[in-house]
Amino acid sequence: MGREATAGDVRSSLAPEEAAAHLTTAVTRLSPPFPWNALPAETLLVGGVVRDALLGRLRDNPDVDLTVPHGAIRLCRQLASRWGGTVVVLDPVRDMGRLVHGPWTVDVAAWDGPTMEADLWRRDFSLNAMAYHLKQRTFRDPCGGLQDLAQRRLRCVAAANLTADPLRVLRAYRLAAELGCTIEERTRQWLQQEAAKLGTVATERVLAELERLCRAPQAHHRLLETATVLQAWLPMAQPWPGLECLGHQLAVAVGLEGESLTRHLAWARLAGVLGAQSVVERLVCSRRRQRQWQRLNHWRQVWAEATTELTEDQQLQLHLDLTKDLPALLLVLLARNQLAPEKAKLWLCRWQDPADSLCHPRCPLSGHRLQAALSLSPGPQLGELMTFLRHENAFGRLAVHDEASILDSARQWLQEAVPSQPIPGRKKHGSP
């Protein structure tokens, strides 16, 4: 993996010849699923690969964007026929194809215009409108992207380019978050003007762009702007308070790290940006994602409205609902100052322990073992017994390594319980 970009990675004095030399070195180190010399003579490397190579943040297997004068889909099929991979036709009218080969995704597009420069002028932002000529090993930058890159400035090439694909409105905030860029004022105005046109974009693309944004290191600085953009299209969108505090520093402070940090922080951000059930449904989130959002939002609201500590039943249900997503709730509560950092650390530590009987609730004996030991038949009574044992186990009232003691507790419950009636609520206990 390449290192993360820093503000000094691109000098303002970097000449096109120096950029070309830098790109030649970076491209030579890549090992795509086909040799570079198998491509047509006028093939250009464009977009994120060029930008990231100049920033020193190029991954080992980056997504590659290529442009050719014509025959893009045909080229994808030729490459797949010779070197393997799967071809996806992205746009037959605009002649855009994709080759997927192992960890590599290579998008190939025909020039949008009669020349290479015309094609670059139709791109979204100057940072993505730089190109590297693979055969000539030259750098092309008609839109001034190199200077914008050096100044960490995101600038739209033209307002009409946003109209051509309104998803670029969201992409602007995602790129600004990923690269640590400021957004040029004129570009910011254009983004606001075009925001309402997001309704013309496939919802799957909108959701995918939002998910990428929320994984960016500096996303919390752009979430409120993003929410405002969504409201221009979906007025019912009401972001959760505290979005601007959902940064890496908060997640590290509570004890998250690595991929777990990225995943839970991204989910907390995305849930907060979507904000309302109607928005979640409008973006056609998967049923799993909708249930995930509903549970997180439910417990966020329960916590906000609670005047006393959660009861044992509430605590247990919280952990049943958020077995995989408790860190996201902790982050949301921390961002709103509704939870002390020390308490959040404690609960994260417990959640990270798979043996913790409250954070990972379970019945200490299987249903088959209970049936055999107590001569029970499958049915509601067995289910209620297992629920009772799970509850007692969660709050440390069972000797989990003593089966005889557990069975004694089960027999006592069977003697006292009225079948098919809910288990009585327990006294209040310290809430997470």
Side-chain angles (χ1 to χ4, degrees), residues 108-131:
V108 187
W111 289 349
D112 185 4
T115 65
M116 172 272 295
E117 265 125 19
D119 176 72
L120 293 177
W121 276 104
R122 287 180 170 87
R123 294 189 168 268
D124 48 11
F125 308 103
S126 63
L127 303 186
N128 292 335
M130 300 178 287

Side-chain angles (χ1 to χ4, degrees), residues 8-9 21 36 38 135 140 161 198 216 228 269 279 293 334 342 348 352 390 392 424:
D9 283 333
W36 294 116
K135 185 178 177 85
R140 310 294 179 85
N161 297 3
L198 280 167
T228 300
R269 290 165 168 173
V279 177
W293 182 90
L334 282 168
E342 295 75 18
L348 182 66
Q352 290 171 331
R390 181 180 63 192
E392 296 298 284

Side-chain angles (χ1 to χ4, degrees), residues 254-272:
V254 79
L256 286 168
E257 59 184 12
E259 176 56 28
S260 180
L261 181 153
T262 302
R263 181 175 70 256
H264 292 293
L265 184 57
W267 173 229
R269 290 165 168 173
L270 180 62

